Amino acid sequence: MSPSTPPPPAAPPSSGNLVLLASSLSVVVACVMVVMKGITLYFSGSQSILASLADSGLDLLASLITFAAVRYAKAPPDKEHPFGHGKAEAFSALVQAGLVFASAALIMQSCVEHLKNPEPVTQSSLAIGVLIVSIILTIGLVFFQNLALKSSQSVAISADRMHYVTDLVSNSIALIGVVAAALGFVQMDAIAGFVMAAWFVWGALKVLREAADHLMDRGLEDGDVARIIDLIAQDPQVLGVHQLRTRLMGPYILIQAHVEMSPTLSLDAAHKIIIGAEKRLLDVFPNADILIHADPQGLAEPHGGVFGEEAPTGFDLSAPNKA
């Protein structure tokens, strides 16, 4: 390369690297916020800060779980786990949801006691400053997590993002509570903490549902299924698609389908058609594991095991219906 030749542009980070970086950044941000809020709670005694600290403490624990889960989930398949380790992310999301439920219960108990025996908030200016810094840090982290999720369907990062979106809202409510308490509305601090705990429960339910979808092998949305069929059928030699099944598995999706082709095709020709369909699918779903089985048209009775007869209805793509 000559001195005048500019260097080639750096390759954009892969979706896997973004997920790993997002999990690392999450741990760093959680550590910073736990330290700040712990010091502030010591000096102020604010129930809003207590609620926010509890949330950040659980965020740190959840971030550490996510940090480990996304790395384990990306481990390649082995003898004991031939389908990989992707569901580790769903298990981590379940743990996170449980932690949030526990946190909400403890916060509500503390706030009820504080409503009965309200205490003034001291060092309110320190509490306000820490909450503002926490909000700024959280906005930055959530922004980066959104970038990672655009290129990956990581349920662990999605659950971790829920924690920090919850943290963003809780810090905002805590800020309102501390300001109100500083202005003389002492009970508003505990009320704000109670509202935050209720918000945690709502967020935990969303994470629980998403994790359950992965653990129960939920299929892709109808729009994605239609896209899969369209991609497979782009080759005019594919005359039908049946027994199409999809499922979520952490950062990956699994696609299985049977395709109908002319019975006069050679095995080599059918193989090339299937390879072409797999390449088209991977261009759109790069995190997919794909298995396509060829059937001769007209002789494609349900088969393949216990779920063969239960698979979704087939799609006839032969003329004149095929576009």
Side-chain angles (χ1 to χ4, degrees):
M1 180 182 295
S2 64
S4 60
T5 303
S14 67
S15 61
N17 289 336
L18 283 176
V19 168
L20 295 177
L21 184 57
S23 66
S24 300
L25 186 60
S26 173
V27 173
V28 172
V29 170
C31 287
V32 171
M33 290 199 290
V34 165
V35 171
M36 288 194 308
K37 292 176 184 178
I39 294 173
T40 305
L41 177 64
Y42 178 79
F43 287 107
S44 69
S46 166
Q47 292 299 297
S48 291
I49 292 294
L50 171 61
S52 189
L53 173 62
D55 184 42
S56 293
L58 289 177
D59 280 343
L60 175 57
L61 180 56
S63 294
L64 290 171
I65 294 172
T66 300
F67 182 86
V70 298
R71 284 156 177 77
Y72 184 73
K74 290 186 177 297
D78 53 34
K79 182 179 179 181
E80 291 78 19
H81 307 90
F83 287 95
H85 304 78
K87 288 189 178 181
E89 291 199 359
F91 280 111
S92 77
L94 281 180
V95 173
Q96 292 184 50
L99 291 173
V100 173
F101 280 126
S103 174
L106 292 174
I107 291 169
M108 286 182 179
Q109 181 182 14
S110 175
C111 288
V112 168
E113 292 298 322
H114 194 70
L115 282 172
K116 294 178 179 178
N117 303 291
E119 298 177 0
V121 175
T122 60
Q123 299 292 331
S124 57
S125 58
L126 175 61
I128 291 171
V130 165
L131 288 172
I132 291 174
V133 172
S134 297
I135 289 171
I136 294 171
L137 287 174
T138 305
I139 290 174
L141 176 59
V142 170
F143 176 79
F144 190 84
Q145 288 174 326
N146 285 335
L147 291 179
L149 288 172
K150 284 182 179 179
S151 57
S152 170
Q153 296 183 356
S154 169
V155 64
I157 294 297
S158 178
D160 205 36
R161 181 187 62 171
M162 184 283 298
H163 274 284
Y164 286 98
V165 170
T166 300
D167 202 47
L168 179 61
V169 174
S170 68
N171 283 327
S172 300
I173 296 174
L175 182 61
I176 294 172
V178 172
V179 171
L183 295 175
F185 301 97
V186 178
Q187 290 185 326
M188 184 61 69
D189 180 50
I191 293 173
F194 195 88
V195 171
M196 288 155 56
W199 176 264
F200 298 164
V201 171
W202 180 82
L205 288 172
K206 289 185 64 177
V207 170
L208 190 63
R209 179 179 177 180
E210 186 175 3
D213 284 345
H214 286 253
L215 293 173
M216 293 298 295
D217 292 334
R218 180 184 175 89
L220 299 184
E221 299 293 335
D222 290 344
D224 289 327
V225 171
R227 181 65 173 145
I228 289 170
I229 295 169
D230 179 66
L231 289 167
I232 294 175
Q234 282 183 10
D235 190 319
Q237 296 183 89
V238 175
L239 304 178
V241 180
H242 61 281
Q243 287 182 250
L244 172 63
R245 288 184 284 176
T246 64
R247 60 184 173 120
L248 301 168
M249 195 178 69
Y252 310 111
I253 59 174
L254 273 63
I255 301 172
Q256 298 179 1
H258 290 224
V259 298
E260 296 181 47
M261 292 181 278
S262 170
T264 61
L265 287 174
S266 68
L267 178 60
D268 180 65
H271 175 71
K272 290 179 180 178
I273 293 170
I274 290 174
I275 293 298
E278 290 177 348
K279 288 180 178 178
R280 292 191 297 275
L281 288 170
L282 287 172
D283 285 340
V284 179
F285 303 97
N287 59 331
D289 183 74
I290 305 165
L291 178 62
I292 300 178
H293 175 84
D295 283 326
Q297 188 183 31
L299 301 173
E301 71 280 357
H303 63 90
V306 65
F307 295 127
E309 304 248 356
E310 304 295 332
T313 305
F315 302 89
D316 185 8
L317 304 171
S318 59
N321 296 325
K322 184 172 179 177

